[in-house]
């Protein structure tokens, strides 16, 4: 009902429905933001600004939107993870983690992950943080990200949002006039920087390319279609992934919000979701009919800021 009211830009009804929500929903960042937006559209600027100012303190999608509305800078506070040397040494001496490290450096990534999962299965939160720090030091960013997430420690932005593969990304993004922060955000969302990532649907590599999409993109670039195994090579995956991202962006009038949604749901489907008349971007994202694509778009836009 709320999204239906938003799709019609019926701000009075949106506000009325928000006020009927249970407290745990009404106090969420999403509905605090849309309460403020409704108040603003209804001319109640003071009440809206008060909510925006409070919400802008959050390091999140709706927090960043509120900061834009309030004219404030984003909250990008970064607190590096601190792990005692003694604990780090003890965790580093674990035989299972040592095997995982060796296998990782041999690029036997599936075996490395198996060893890693077994080794950390019984670790407590402090030990998991130490393990995440170890993985970060090895350059195994995906395991660092996933392991730290289990502890719910969100403040180390450098560990959670690494700039891995920067030379390849800078080169490929620059060649296609793409914002490299946006490309990093897509990689972070698609694979968390796991070069050998494979989805159940068959998408592969850092930018989770479907083999068919990779082949058609390669033909568009007038280059040899890649073999499936080559899609797991970072330089090839990034080259083809950014080329496809540029194609999608061009199809959707160079609108990065639409292109972000289309990278997940496909350009044709996104074209069917376009409103009959111009709509604010934040509103369009909120009423994307697929929950997965809505969440995906919000995460990529958030990650690009970080």
């Amino acid at each position: 009902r709320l999204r239906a009211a938003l799709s019609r830009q019926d701000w009075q009804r949106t506000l009325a429905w928000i006020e009927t929500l249970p407290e745990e929903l009404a106090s969420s960042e999403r509905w605090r933001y849309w309460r403020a937006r409704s108040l603003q559209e209804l001319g109640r600027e003071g009440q809206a600004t008060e909510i925006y100012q409070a919400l802008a303190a959050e390091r999140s999608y709706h927090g960043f939107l509120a900061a834009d509305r309030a004219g404030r800078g984003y909250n990008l506070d970064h607190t590096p993870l601190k792990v005692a040397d003694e604990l780090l040494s003890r965790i580093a001496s674990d035989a299972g983690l040592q095997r995982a490290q060796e296998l990782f450096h041999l690029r036997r990534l599936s075996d490395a992950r198996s060893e890693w999962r077994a080794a950390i299965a019984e670790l407590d939160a402090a030990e998991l943080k130490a393990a995440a720090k170890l993985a970060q030091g090895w350059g195994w960013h995906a395991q660092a990200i996933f392991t730290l997430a289990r502890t719910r420690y969100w403040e180390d932005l450098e560990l959670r949002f690494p700039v891995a593969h920067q030379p390849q990304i800078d080169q490929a993004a620059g060649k296609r006039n793409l914002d490299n922060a946006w490309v990093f955000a897509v990689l972070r969302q698609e694979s968390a920087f796991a070069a050998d990532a494979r989805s159940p649907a068959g998408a592969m590599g850092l930018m989770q390319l479907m083999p068919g999409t990779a082949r058609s993109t390669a033909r568009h670039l007038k280059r040899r279609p890649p073999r499936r195994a080559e899609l797991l090579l970072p330089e090839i995956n990034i080259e083809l992934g950014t080329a496809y991202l540029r194609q999608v962006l061009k199809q959707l009038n160079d609108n990065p919000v639409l292109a972000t949604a289309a990278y997940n749901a496909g350009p044709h489907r996104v074209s069917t979701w376009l409103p009959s008349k111009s709509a604010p971007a934040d509103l369009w994202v909120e009423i994307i009919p697929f929950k997965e694509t809505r969440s995906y778009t919000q995460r990529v836009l958030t990650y690009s800021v970080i």
Side-chain angles (χ1 to χ4, degrees), residues 59 75-82 133 148 153-160:
R59 189 180 59 239
N75 171 14
L76 294 172
D77 290 346
H78 161 62
T79 306
L81 180 64
K82 287 187 168 61
K133 200 72 177 169
L148 187 63
Y153 183 81
W154 311 121
E155 310 309 314
D156 191 328
L157 299 187
E158 289 182 359
L159 189 153
R160 294 182 58 223

Side-chain angles (χ1 to χ4, degrees), residues 38-195:
S38 300
L39 290 167
Q40 184 178 26
E41 294 291 339
L42 293 169
R44 294 155 67 177
E45 293 282 350
Q47 291 172 277
T49 299
E50 186 177 345
I51 297 172
Y52 288 144
Q53 293 282 4
L55 193 52
E58 304 295 335
R59 189 180 59 239
S60 64
Y61 174 73
H62 291 96
F64 293 161
L65 288 178
D68 287 339
R69 293 270 167 184
R72 288 182 50 176
Y74 300 137
N75 171 14
L76 294 172
D77 290 346
H78 161 62
T79 306
L81 180 64
K82 287 187 168 61
V83 177
D85 290 341
E86 181 275 328
L87 176 57
L88 197 62
S89 296
R90 177 165 63 81
I91 295 298
S93 68
D94 178 86
L97 291 179
Q98 288 181 347
R99 287 192 296 273
Q101 181 183 14
E102 293 295 335
L103 289 163
F104 169 71
H105 287 303
L106 290 168
R107 311 313 295 164
R108 290 172 54 183
L109 299 179
S110 178
D111 292 335
R113 278 193 296 272
S114 295
E115 288 287 357
W116 182 273
R117 284 193 295 268
I120 70 168
E122 303 298 326
L123 299 186
D124 62 25
E127 292 167 334
L128 287 170
K129 289 176 182 177
K133 200 72 177 169
L134 276 183
Q136 181 189 30
W138 304 342
W140 199 4
H141 299 293
Q143 288 307 318
I145 290 166
F146 296 143
T147 302
L148 187 63
R150 289 178 53 176
T151 74
R152 305 188 68 77
Y153 183 81
W154 311 121
E155 310 309 314
D156 191 328
L157 299 187
E158 289 182 359
L159 189 153
R160 294 182 58 223
F161 298 94
V163 286
H165 310 290
Q166 186 168 9
Q168 297 97 319
I169 290 171
D170 285 350
Q171 181 181 16
K175 183 162 57 175
R176 298 184 171 89
N177 196 27
L178 299 174
D179 177 6
N180 66 349
W182 184 36
V183 177
F184 272 117
V186 170
L187 261 76
R188 174 60 169 79
Q189 172 58 29
E190 290 287 352
S191 66
F193 297 94

Side-chain angles (χ1 to χ4, degrees), residues 52 207 223 247 253 264 266:
Y52 288 144
M207 297 188 73
R223 59 180 287 171
Q247 289 178 32
N253 299 319
N264 176 259

Side-chain angles (χ1 to χ4, degrees), residues 3-15:
R3 289 199 173 91
L6 283 170
S7 70
R8 296 192 299 273
Q9 299 188 46
D10 184 340
W11 302 107
Q12 192 70 57
R13 185 157 295 195
T14 298
L15 187 60

